[in-house]
Amino acid sequence: MKTMRYYILLFALICTQVILAQVSFEAAASRDNIPLNDNVRIDFVMNQDGDNFAPPRFDNFTIVGGPNQSVSTSWVNGKRSFSKTYSYFLQPKKKGTFTIGAASIEIDGQIYKTKPISVTVSDAVAKQDPRQQYNQVQQQSLAEIHLVAEVNNRTPYVNEPITITYKLYFNTNIAGYRGQKIPTYNKFWVHNVELPQRPDVKIGKFRGKDANYVTLKQDVLMPQEAGTLTIDPMVLLIQAEIPTGRRDFFGYPETGFVEKDYSTGKITINAKELPEAGKPSNFSGGVGSFDFKVTPSKTSLKSGEQLDLKVEVTGKGNLNLLTMPTPTAHSALEMYDPTTTDKITSGVNGMQGSRVNNYIIIPQYKGDYAIDPMEFSYFDLNTKKYKTINIDSLAIHVLEGPTLPTNNEAKNTTVVDKNELFQANIAKPTIVKPYTSSYWGTTLFYVFTGLPFLAIPFFIIVVRQRRRSASDFDGIRLRNNNRLAKKYLGEAKKHMNNKELFYEALERCLHNFLKAKLDMVTSEMSNENIIEILTDKNITEEAVKGFMDLKNACEWARYAPTDQVNVNKDYDNAITVISELEKQFK
């Protein structure tokens, strides 16, 4: 009996110890060593809910916050996890090493205590101004933004396609961006690659580090002359979202917005002349890698039937600028001007696709004829040499129809005047009675006779006026440009629902306005030249800036893939800008 009681008591004691072992109540400091002028947080954490919490004495500290209570409950794989924390924020009163005593809590009728913890208080340190700290965070965040222009080849040959890609790398939140300056490509042929209106964010490498990036703009360029060519930079005003270091009412971090201009810098392209050694006399101007084919729709047909001849160049390179070979054939094969079909796409690898000339040939006489051999020469970028593709002559068999006349037959052919045909069949002459006029001497006769004399003074006035107007060439050009400016502004208003057409018409309006007022031509429409001329005309700095901002907004909206535009605002701004300049022009 005694043995049985012993086992029951032992079992109860073990169960009690197991239950007690499941309860945890601990104290922890946010850091063990703090400056005298800083705070420390003390947390008392338990894994089961309790009552009658009693904190220790904080004799060497001042309580500046707390107690703050937080509870966390979670379920993982069907098991419940619980945590309850009491937090105090303490300000030390003096230097030294101090012990924070035990706190107590009652859980299920049992009292639990934490172990004492030690905190060392050292000399006070100079605290950083929060504004200075925010500025450092701001500068660090802005330093994570990079606007770059990537060029796949900086030493191309003349007419060799190269690709320039504008990318924005960032590791902070970008709230938006606006184009300040769009790059210009003087002495380049340009093709804009179509990109999504809302570019996708991708992950790449910048200076060996992972970074997010978007592709803003991509163009295929072909230098039109040799030498050192310069591409102006792209400039963006970028708005970044920066943490302020403060928290809102609900405890979430606050952020602010900062704007900064970013530029790609100028880009230098050193274009090379194509070599003269080995250059064929029939060089097409093609630079790249091409194939050449000539395909007739049929080789046997009747006189008067249609034959389609397909002359095709395919490959990768300056397809849109090369000269296509022209077929020649016997005069009995009547050949019509071709229709051209281009299927050319642009991307990171330049321009590729095909260019096809379709000729219609109609034979006139029966016989065997030939389309002369053809050649296509181009400069191959892989071998850096000229290549020529030869096509043999094509035999054309006309099976039915009239025979081609010989030289003697052509000479003996009598030409008959159509006016003399069938004259021999006239049997007798036709007699026509003379016509008697009732016009002479009438009132109508005298009116028409005197009318020219009455119109002479009016005619002289009109002629003189037209001569004065015709001699005023500058006035004619100014009136025409004014008329065009009003026309394009009207077109811009019609296309306010279409961003591309609206900004294209608005930009033409601005150009024609300057042509009318400054007697400029299109080749003089660089930004620097416009600012210089407007300044020389004593136009105010605000008016010049308003015009240039509007011009840059048009260029950015047309050439950059962004929806961040305000059509109505820009239209109203155009009216204001033109009106203000109109007042200041003398």
Side-chain angles (χ1 to χ4, degrees):
M1 194 66 172
K2 290 182 179 181
T3 304
M4 180 61 68
R5 291 177 180 175
Y6 173 77
Y7 283 120
I8 292 174
L9 182 61
L10 181 61
F11 179 74
L13 181 61
I14 293 174
C15 291
T16 302
Q17 292 298 324
V18 170
I19 294 174
L20 294 178
Q22 293 177 350
V23 177
S24 172
F25 183 45
E26 298 177 350
S30 59
R31 48 182 171 167
D32 297 332
N33 195 316
I34 62 170
L36 180 61
N37 58 342
D38 207 346
N39 296 337
V40 63
R41 188 184 75 248
I42 306 297
D43 294 329
F44 300 97
V45 185
M46 63 199 74
N47 65 348
Q48 291 190 25
D49 197 6
D51 299 313
N52 302 323
F53 171 74
R57 294 169 57 89
F58 300 111
D59 295 330
N60 298 298
F61 297 88
T62 300
I63 300 176
V64 295
N68 297 334
Q69 181 178 326
S70 62
V71 177
S72 172
T73 304
S74 62
W75 291 86
V76 179
N77 296 328
K79 295 183 179 180
R80 178 176 177 270
S81 174
F82 175 85
S83 175
K84 184 176 182 180
T85 304
Y86 289 93
S87 298
Y88 290 84
F89 293 89
L90 309 178
Q91 171 73 50
K93 298 178 180 178
K94 57 184 178 180
K95 296 190 298 180
T97 300
F98 306 107
T99 299
I100 296 176
S104 64
I105 190 76
E106 181 180 349
I107 301 175
D108 295 334
Q110 182 72 29
I111 302 297
Y112 296 89
K113 294 184 177 182
T114 61
K115 294 180 180 180
I117 57 176
S118 296
V119 176
T120 300
V121 180
S122 57
D123 292 331
V125 295
K127 280 193 172 184
Q128 189 176 26
D129 188 344
R131 292 173 297 180
Q132 184 179 0
Q133 184 177 4
Y134 171 64
N135 290 335
Q136 289 182 352
V137 174
Q138 171 183 317
Q139 295 302 321
Q140 183 179 358
S141 299
L142 293 176
E144 297 292 327
I145 302 174
H146 308 277
L147 180 64
V148 300
E150 299 176 354
V151 183
N152 66 341
N153 184 6
R154 293 179 182 262
T155 57
Y157 287 98
V158 173
N159 276 331
E160 177 183 353
I162 63 175
T163 303
I164 180 169
T165 305
Y166 296 90
K167 293 182 179 179
L168 179 63
Y169 288 91
F170 57 94
N171 278 326
T172 188
N173 291 333
I174 301 295
Y177 54 83
R178 179 165 56 89
Q180 296 289 78
K181 187 175 182 181
I182 303 299
T184 55
Y185 304 113
N186 295 325
K187 301 178 182 178
F188 286 93
W189 184 94
V190 186
H191 179 80
N192 304 114
V193 179
E194 291 188 7
L195 296 175
Q197 289 291 329
R198 297 184 180 275
D200 297 331
V201 178
K202 300 180 181 178
I203 299 177
K205 292 281 187 181
F206 183 78
R207 295 176 182 171
K209 297 181 180 180
D210 291 336
N212 301 314
Y213 76 91
V214 292
T215 300
L216 301 177
K217 180 176 171 63
Q218 191 173 72
D219 299 312
V220 176
L221 311 179
M222 299 181 199
Q224 297 302 291
E225 63 178 53
T228 301
L229 308 179
T230 301
I231 300 174
D232 291 337
M234 172 187 281
V235 180
L236 293 185
L237 178 65
I238 297 178
Q239 187 181 63
E241 189 175 3
I242 308 297
T244 63
R246 300 187 298 270
R247 294 182 177 272
D248 61 13
F249 177 79
F250 299 100
Y252 295 104
E254 290 184 351
T255 58
F257 296 96
V258 180
E259 290 184 339
K260 182 181 177 181
D261 281 334
Y262 289 85
S263 172
T264 59
K266 288 189 176 182
I267 300 170
T268 301
I269 303 295
N270 296 309
K272 301 177 290 186
E273 285 280 11
L274 293 173
E276 291 296 327
K279 187 175 183 179
S281 58
N282 62 345
F283 176 53
S284 66
V287 179
S289 178
F290 303 104
D291 191 15
F292 176 55
K293 293 187 296 183
V294 179
T295 308
S297 60
K298 60 181 80 172
T299 56
S300 298
L301 67 164
K302 299 177 183 179
S303 172
E305 261 188 64
Q306 177 177 318
L307 161 65
D308 295 324
L309 186 68
K310 181 180 179 182
V311 180
E312 181 180 16
V313 175
T314 60
K316 183 173 66 174
N318 61 336
L319 279 164
N320 58 328
L321 298 182
L322 55 82
T323 301
M324 297 285 287
T326 303
T328 57
H330 192 280
S331 59
L333 301 178
E334 186 173 355
M335 187 179 303
Y336 294 86
D337 291 337
T339 59
T340 301
T341 303
D342 289 338
K343 294 182 179 179
I344 303 173
T345 59
S346 300
V348 264
N349 297 320
M351 307 188 72
Q352 53 191 355
S354 65
R355 165 166 281 193
V356 178
N357 279 354
N358 287 291
Y359 293 85
I360 294 176
I361 299 176
I362 299 179
Q364 303 299 310
Y365 301 99
K366 176 182 178 181
D368 294 329
Y369 307 100
I371 297 174
D372 297 340
M374 300 178 65
E375 291 183 346
F376 175 73
S377 299
Y378 68 96
F379 183 75
D380 184 43
L381 291 174
N382 295 323
T383 61
K384 303 296 187 293
K385 294 180 180 179
Y386 292 97
K387 286 187 176 181
T388 300
I389 302 175
N390 296 289
I391 301 294
D392 293 335
S393 61
L394 300 174
I396 304 298
H397 307 287
V398 184
L399 305 178
E400 297 181 13
T403 304
L404 183 67
T406 62
N407 291 336
N408 292 331
E409 291 173 341
K411 290 179 181 178
N412 295 331
T413 302
T414 303
V415 178
V416 180
D417 187 355
K418 294 181 180 180
N419 294 326
E420 296 180 359
L421 291 177
F422 309 111
Q423 294 298 315
N425 295 331
I426 297 178
K428 58 182 180 180
T430 301
I431 300 174
V432 180
K433 294 181 180 182
Y435 171 74
T436 303
S437 174
S438 60
Y439 171 71
W440 301 102
T442 63
T443 303
L444 186 62
F445 165 74
Y446 290 111
V447 170
F448 282 125
T449 302
L451 188 61
F453 295 99
L454 296 175
I456 287 175
F458 176 76
F459 178 74
I460 293 173
I461 294 173
V462 171
V463 169
R464 288 180 178 176
Q465 182 65 31
R466 289 179 62 86
R467 285 178 179 175
R468 283 196 297 267
S469 299
S471 62
D472 184 15
F473 297 107
D474 292 337
I476 292 173
R477 183 167 58 184
L478 293 178
R479 286 192 294 273
N480 288 338
N481 284 332
N482 270 325
R483 194 178 303 113
L484 284 174
K486 294 178 182 178
K487 170 189 173 184
Y488 288 133
L489 191 56
E491 287 186 1
K493 188 174 183 180
K494 294 177 184 177
H495 298 301
M496 295 183 74
N497 293 327
N498 187 312
K499 186 194 80 171
E500 288 76 13
L501 295 179
F502 170 78
Y503 283 102
E504 182 179 353
L506 185 57
E507 188 174 11
R508 284 201 301 267
C509 168
L510 298 178
H511 282 190
N512 283 284
F513 177 76
L514 288 185
K515 290 179 183 178
K517 297 301 179 183
L518 302 179
D519 194 21
M520 300 177 67
V521 295
T522 302
S523 59
E524 298 174 338
M525 288 291 180
S526 65
N527 290 347
E528 294 79 5
N529 199 27
I530 292 173
I531 294 174
E532 181 180 353
I533 294 177
L534 290 177
T535 304
D536 292 342
K537 292 289 184 180
N538 296 322
I539 304 301
T540 62
E541 183 178 350
E542 293 78 8
V544 174
K545 184 178 184 302
F547 183 88
M548 297 309 301
D549 288 345
L550 182 61
K551 182 175 180 292
N552 289 333
C554 291
E555 293 176 349
W556 177 252
R558 288 184 61 196
Y559 300 121
T562 178
D563 286 334
Q564 298 180 6
V565 295
N566 190 328
V567 172
N568 293 319
K569 180 180 178 182
D570 289 337
Y571 180 78
D572 294 338
N573 193 23
I575 297 175
T576 303
V577 167
I578 292 176
S579 299
E580 182 62 28
L581 288 177
E582 185 73 33
K583 294 178 184 177
Q584 298 187 32
F585 277 121
K586 297 180 180 179

